[in-house]
């Protein structure tokens, strides 16, 4: 698959992409599965964490289940020469969970800054979007908010076996 | 949208804790259980229940596909109501589609289906986009990220 993963790393990805084993010694179970030492499993996971191949090990909550029933993808048209400075400031807001520079798709799509906002209600999200609008001021030439109304699929990364 | 699930105080603390770094050591669940002041067996049962009831969608390593030489791309389509079921079935059926959301714009944006493609190679993205365009007969707009300013999916449990 990749220049950066060796075969054992790749088998470790395959063995954990559905989740970590829910047993007292999960890394030992993976070691037995892969036929390597538990210490090697732990070392490899630590190395993948250090290299950013693993962002973190942890739980992904369903936003709706933990009270964030509204999520809005706010999108903004800001001048390209200002986007890095503005993107960094928007990304610092505590209610913004993801913030990216993405290409425009003219004429249908004039927006180049994407900031995902989560809240307990649509009103709360709109209020947060107003806060972003104030921060951006005149630099924002247009914006929109796209609320998710249905999760159609959510499986996360799957690589082939 | 579904109503928020019933979860108790211990579940809340557990979810907040588990969004951070899960330990890499011989008995990591025992360590986390210690932080939470519960037993290891209870922690394992709670995680199993939260996964079974879909309060948690996943528990384990979060992989960054780009760091593995792969690609991760947001894409959108404007799908007419009459075509919705057919196009949704096509998009959801592709293993490269990691998630797919229906979104409604506050303004007049026609794009109502937003999905993320995760593949093991750059070429995999182009192939998946082509399959969706050919299968649906509709254009797909890709929004590859140019730069990431902040990504940290860490939300405290709302009370």
């Amino acid at each position: 698959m990749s220049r950066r993963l060796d075969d054992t790393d790749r088998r470790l990805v395959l063995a954990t992409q559905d989740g970590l084993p829910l047993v007292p010694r999960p890394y030992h179970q993976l070691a037995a599965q892969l036929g390597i030492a538990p210490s090697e499993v732990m070392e490899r996971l630590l190395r993948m964490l250090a290299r950013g191949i693993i962002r973190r090990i942890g739980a992904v909550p369903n936003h709706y289940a933990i009270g964030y029933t509204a999520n809005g993808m706010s999108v903004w048209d800001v001048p390209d020469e200002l986007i890095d400075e503005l993107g960094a400031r928007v990304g610092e807001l505590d209610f913004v969970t993801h913030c990216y520079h993405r290409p425009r798709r003219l004429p249908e799509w004039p927006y180049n800054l994407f900031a995902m906002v989560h809240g307990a209600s649509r009103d709360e999200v709109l209020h947060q979007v107003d806060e972003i609008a104030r921060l951006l001021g005149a630099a924002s030439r247009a914006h929109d908010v796209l609320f998710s109304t249905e999760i159609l699929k959510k499986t996360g990364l799957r690589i082939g076996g | 949208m579904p109503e928020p699930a019933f979860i108790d105080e211990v579940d809340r603390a557990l979810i907040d804790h588990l969004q951070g770094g899960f330990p890499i050591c011989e008995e990591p669940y025992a360590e986390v259980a210690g932080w939470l002041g519960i037993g290891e067996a209870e922690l394992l049962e709670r995680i199993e229940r939260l996964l079974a009831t879909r309060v948690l969608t996943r528990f384990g390593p979060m992989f960054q596909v780009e760091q593995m030489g792969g690609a991760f791309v947001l894409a959108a389509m404007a799908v007419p109501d009459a075509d919705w079921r057919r196009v949704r079935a096509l998009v959801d059926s592709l293993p490269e589609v990691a998630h797919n959301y229906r979104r409604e714009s506050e303004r007049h944006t026609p794009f109502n289906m937003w999905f993320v493609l995760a593949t093991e190679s750059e070429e995999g993205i182009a192939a998946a986009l082509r399959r969706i365009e050919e299968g649906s007969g509709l254009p797909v707009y890709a929004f590859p990220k140019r730069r990431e300013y902040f990504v940290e999916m860490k939300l405290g449990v709302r009370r």
Side-chain angles (χ1 to χ4, degrees), chain A residues 16-43:
Chain A
T16 55
Q17 65 182 352
D18 284 325
L20 207 60
L22 293 170
V23 296
R25 305 213 290 177
Y27 307 119
H28 288 62
Q29 178 168 316
L30 289 167
Q33 232 172 291
L34 300 181
I36 58 177
S39 60
E40 187 179 348
V41 168
M42 291 188 254
E43 278 159 23

Side-chain angles (χ1 to χ4, degrees), chain B residues 3-140:
Chain B
E3 288 296 307
F6 178 76
I7 47 180
D8 67 17
E9 285 299 319
V10 178
D11 289 335
R12 287 197 177 103
L14 181 160
I15 295 165
D16 287 344
H17 265 287
L18 290 185
Q19 286 191 72
F22 186 72
I24 297 178
C25 60
E26 300 242 328
E27 297 185 343
Y29 294 106
E31 190 170 321
V32 173
W35 298 340
L36 295 168
I38 60 176
E40 182 189 55
E42 181 182 346
L43 174 65
L44 286 166
E45 275 168 31
R46 282 179 181 268
I47 297 173
E48 263 171 38
R49 175 172 50 77
L50 294 170
L51 285 166
T53 55
R54 305 276 302 153
V55 172
L56 296 179
T57 58
R58 208 167 169 273
F59 174 69
M62 283 338 108
F63 295 103
Q64 291 229 74
V65 75
E66 297 100 324
Q67 298 297 327
M68 296 193 252
F72 207 70
V73 172
L74 177 70
M77 298 173 80
V79 182
D81 283 343
D83 295 325
W84 183 264
R85 285 171 62 123
R86 178 179 67 85
V87 176
R88 178 194 171 171
L90 167 72
V91 171
D92 288 356
S93 73
L94 295 192
E96 296 90 342
V97 174
H99 22 96
N100 185 13
Y101 285 84
R102 180 167 193 144
R103 292 191 177 277
E104 278 169 17
S105 160
E106 287 285 291
R107 303 274 158 92
H108 305 292
T109 296
F111 301 146
N112 54 0
M113 185 180 284
W114 289 82
F115 48 91
V116 170
L117 296 167
T119 63
E120 293 183 49
S121 68
E122 293 282 346
E123 305 79 64
I125 295 287
L129 291 172
R130 212 163 39 238
R131 279 172 63 196
I132 296 170
E133 288 200 320
E134 284 169 4
S136 66
L138 297 170
V140 179

Side-chain angles (χ1 to χ4, degrees), chain A residues 1-2 17 21 27 53 55-56 59-60 62 68 84 99 101-102 105 143-144 147 149 152-153 155, chain B residues 18-19 23 29 55 57-58 62 64 68 92 98 100 102 104-105 107 109 120 142-143 146-147 149 156:
Chain A
M1 94 188 237
S2 126
Q17 65 182 352
Y27 307 119
I53 290 170
R55 200 187 278 283
R56 63 186 173 87
V60 182
N62 172 341
Y68 293 85
D84 287 344
C99 187
H101 175 189
R102 298 185 185 279
R105 295 291 177 211
H143 76 275
D144 195 352
F147 283 98
T149 53
L152 306 173
K153 179 179 183 181
T155 51
Chain B
L18 290 185
Q19 286 191 72
Y29 294 106
V55 172
T57 58
R58 208 167 169 273
M62 283 338 108
Q64 291 229 74
M68 296 193 252
D92 288 356
N100 185 13
R102 180 167 193 144
E104 278 169 17
S105 160
R107 303 274 158 92
T109 296
E120 293 183 49
F143 294 95
R146 294 261 170 86
R147 185 143 178 205
Y149 301 109

